[in-house]
Amino acid sequence: MSFHLIDIKDANELQRAAILDITRQFELTTKKIHDIKQHFINEMHKGLEKHGNSLAMIPSYVPGTPTGKEIGTFLALDLGGTNLRVCQITFLGGSEIKIKQQKYKVLESLKTGEARALFDFIAESIDRFLTDLGDEHNDGKLDLGFTFSFPVEQTAINKGTLLHWTKGFAATGAVGKDVVELLQDSLNRKNVPVRVAALVNDTVGTLLAYTYIIPNALMGVILGTGTNGAYVEKVKAIKKLGNFHFNSEDMIVNMEWGGFDNERKVLPITLFDNKLDRESINPRAQIFEKLISGMYLGEIARNVIIHLIDSDLLFKEIHFQFSNITYQRINQQWGFETAYLSRIEADLTPNLDNTNSILKNDLNVYESSLTDRQIIKRICQLIGIRAARLAATGLAAVITHRKAVESGCSIGIDGTLFEFYPHFEQRIRGTFDELIGSNADKIALGLARDGSGVGAAIAAMMAAKNRE
Ligand code: GLC
């Protein structure tokens, strides 16, 4: 399968050579993705066998999957990105759900300050949410499902220590601690009548929510600010659980696939990725995530763009009149947003007018030639295609490992990349054709929007049922 790339007709020879070189660096051949897929499967085995693998394969301890018939009201909390989401979710049976929810912005100072302040903020937000709801359900302790979208080594449905932060969070005093305890302490101190009944990763939540609607779904995946996947595994295959007794044959596993191949054995890492990684707050970690997810794609593009500016191959027209103002935005780390990539990839105007308006209005680059804009579009395409192909490779590895190629399976996916980034799904599908062949159309990919909140409430419901 070849992916459509914009033609850059009027590029001069030097530009052509540079574009060819960059195209080669970002391209993933069919052989390469087969190798990556195989390495992924090997790493899954390793992660299931022992703790501390870079593909962490974390057992979720969620007792079973829902049938869609359950009823009851539960609280859910979702922390993992820009916003904190607090929800009250009522299961009405027959796969019907009623949701009331509120979002609270998580300030940068909370993300990187002291963990206690972050957890106090969460407890206060829950308190505010309950006050706004009124007293209708406040007769006793409410059960809450906590979606915490970071790598947590779980030891029970309501216990888990934070391994390390990802996605720009760095609050001190949380790594190595049980995040349920941290939250429960804050709730108790503030007299909020809530019991943290279940802790789930967002991928696990997404899978549970998807299963409530599509029974027997195989995977829950996030393709957004970060990326990760969870899937249903046979308990006996999770060797590192030892003789642990679990009341079901299957358990959902949170792969933490963002850390896949941190050792860099198979992933082709470019100079531009290395620069991003070195300048990030978690160098040498989450390398797979850094090649795929929304938090990073814009920055990779910026690195390529400044390389071409510095090589005198881009924006030549303005070189003689450039000022600090012109390059201020583009010189800034994170100054090129992933949303621009998305808009540039969607720009089908012959003169790339929408790309021009991003350059002018968002980046203060007032003069650019059509060739400049075509080069920029090519860069965005290369980065977008690589991201989708790598995501597809991870999916195909799980599908193969679970022997679901021939029988087919359903996968619920949430996240802005999957929902909004042009051609993302189509590029995943194209890559499936290469990796899975004629069975590729038996793989159903569905949008599972905001599933993690509902999923956390389902986990709380199942934990409460188990307690009875
Ligand atoms: C990061 C987190 C992971 C989460 C993913 C998607 O990779 O480490 O726990 O599932 O982002 O939000």
Side-chain angles (χ1 to χ4, degrees):
M1 162 106 196
S2 60
F3 293 85
H4 175 75
L5 292 174
I6 188 167
D7 198 14
I8 309 171
K9 286 197 197 66
D10 295 323
N12 64 34
E13 232 161 79
L14 286 175
Q15 284 173 321
R16 257 175 217 289
I19 295 159
L20 190 67
D21 175 41
I22 290 168
T23 304
R24 292 260 152 80
Q25 292 190 53
F26 280 92
E27 235 164 25
L28 295 167
T29 61
T30 300
K31 158 136 192 9
K32 188 74 198 168
I33 53 169
H34 272 284
D35 291 349
I36 298 173
K37 178 185 153 199
Q38 191 50 53
H39 190 60
F40 202 110
I41 295 174
N42 299 345
E43 286 294 303
M44 287 177 72
H45 285 286
K46 272 204 226 159
L48 290 170
E49 259 164 44
K50 61 172 180 54
H51 295 279
N53 199 48
S54 62
L55 191 59
M57 308 296 284
I58 300 170
S60 68
Y61 296 88
V62 178
T65 46
T67 60
K69 297 197 183 99
E70 294 83 355
I71 45 175
T73 296
F74 295 85
L75 289 177
L77 192 69
D78 195 340
L79 179 78
T82 331
N83 294 308
L84 167 74
R85 209 151 48 97
V86 186
C87 325
Q88 185 204 48
I89 293 165
T90 306
F91 299 98
L92 301 162
S95 293
E96 252 189 275
I97 300 169
K98 206 170 77 189
I99 305 181
K100 288 184 189 162
Q101 62 169 320
Q102 189 65 49
K103 285 186 180 170
Y104 304 91
K105 188 161 173 52
V106 186
L107 297 176
E108 286 306 311
S109 54
L110 285 173
K111 290 186 187 172
T112 54
E114 274 189 32
R116 186 178 161 123
L118 176 65
F119 283 93
D120 279 358
F121 162 77
I122 300 176
E124 281 154 22
S125 305
I126 298 174
D127 197 24
R128 244 194 295 164
F129 177 77
L130 291 175
T131 310
D132 291 348
L133 269 187
D135 277 332
E136 46 179 324
H137 294 291
N138 264 7
D139 44 358
K141 279 215 165 180
L142 293 166
D143 277 314
L144 173 133
F146 182 16
T147 303
F148 185 71
S149 317
F150 301 96
V152 164
E153 190 65 74
Q154 281 196 235
T155 47
I157 180 78
N158 60 350
K159 269 192 186 50
T161 49
L162 176 62
L163 293 174
H164 50 86
W165 289 110
T166 52
K167 298 177 290 190
F169 277 70
T172 53
V175 172
K177 300 257 171 66
D178 182 344
V179 290
V180 172
E181 255 173 45
L182 292 178
L183 177 58
Q184 192 67 61
D185 279 354
S186 292
L187 288 164
N188 295 350
R189 257 188 285 113
K190 294 182 181 297
N191 293 320
V192 187
V194 166
R195 166 173 39 212
V196 187
L199 173 69
V200 292
N201 185 259
D202 52 354
T203 53
V204 176
T206 300
L207 175 53
L208 285 171
Y210 205 59
T211 312
Y212 195 72
I213 300 157
I214 302 191
N216 300 322
L218 179 68
M219 291 184 78
V221 174
I222 304 288
L223 286 164
T225 309
T227 184
N228 188 12
Y231 74 105
V232 182
E233 181 57 282
K234 294 274 159 228
V235 175
K236 64 175 187 313
I238 314 175
K239 302 253 164 51
K240 63 186 173 187
L241 282 179
N243 292 329
F244 175 80
H245 176 73
F246 194 61
N247 63 354
S248 157
E249 267 184 26
D250 299 324
M251 192 194 280
I252 300 174
V253 171
N254 161 23
M255 289 190 275
E256 283 297 328
W257 81 17
F260 165 64
D261 201 27
N262 276 340
E263 302 80 10
R264 300 159 175 244
K265 291 210 172 115
V266 279
L267 292 173
I269 317 279
T270 69
L271 203 74
F272 313 106
D273 304 308
N274 271 330
K275 178 167 177 293
L276 173 145
D277 181 50
R278 178 169 48 73
E279 292 172 347
S280 71
I281 62 168
N282 53 349
R284 309 305 280 192
Q286 299 295 102
I287 199 65
F288 195 55
E289 178 161 78
K290 284 173 180 156
L291 304 182
I292 296 178
S293 79
M295 175 149 179
Y296 304 104
L297 300 187
E299 181 66 3
I300 304 172
R302 189 185 75 90
N303 285 342
V304 183
I305 292 169
I306 50 180
H307 164 73
L308 290 177
I309 295 175
D310 292 344
S311 310
D312 266 342
L313 296 172
L314 205 57
F315 306 140
K316 293 273 285 186
E317 276 91 341
I318 55 167
H319 249 55
F320 296 103
Q321 55 192 38
F322 76 80
S323 64
N324 283 340
I325 307 273
T326 305
Y327 284 122
Q328 220 169 46
R329 286 296 305 275
I330 225 152
N331 279 342
Q332 245 167 43
Q333 193 188 18
W334 312 115
F336 196 91
E337 295 174 15
T338 300
Y340 304 159
L341 261 85
S342 201
R343 279 159 60 197
I344 292 170
E345 282 231 50
D347 185 359
L348 299 176
T349 61
N351 282 321
L352 297 179
D353 296 327
N354 303 334
T355 304
N356 202 17
S357 97
I358 293 174
L359 285 172
K360 281 189 179 154
N361 305 332
D362 297 297
L363 295 166
N364 302 340
V365 176
Y366 296 108
E367 299 282 334
S368 63
S369 66
L370 179 58
T371 302
D372 288 334
R373 299 195 287 277
Q374 287 170 336
I375 292 176
I376 288 182
K377 178 153 181 176
R378 166 73 74 94
I379 295 168
C380 297
Q381 288 176 326
L382 292 171
I383 294 168
I385 291 171
R386 186 183 66 166
R389 278 169 80 59
L390 287 174
T393 307
L395 295 172
V398 178
I399 296 164
T400 308
H401 165 79
R402 289 299 285 116
K403 303 197 173 22
V405 175
E406 267 155 37
S407 54
C409 62
S410 296
I411 300 176
I413 309 182
D414 194 11
T416 40
L417 275 186
F418 186 71
E419 191 171 358
F420 301 117
Y421 196 98
H423 322 299
F424 211 88
E425 180 172 352
Q426 188 194 326
R427 288 167 177 168
I428 290 180
R429 293 219 149 272
T431 309
F432 277 173
D433 289 341
E434 286 162 80
L435 289 172
I436 296 177
S438 58
N439 286 311
D441 52 6
K442 292 190 191 147
I443 315 295
L445 302 178
L447 180 65
R449 193 187 288 125
D450 282 350
S452 55
V454 171
I458 292 175
M461 172 165 71
M462 298 187 4
K465 206 158 68 178
N466 236 31
R467 221 173 33 221
E468 278 159 16

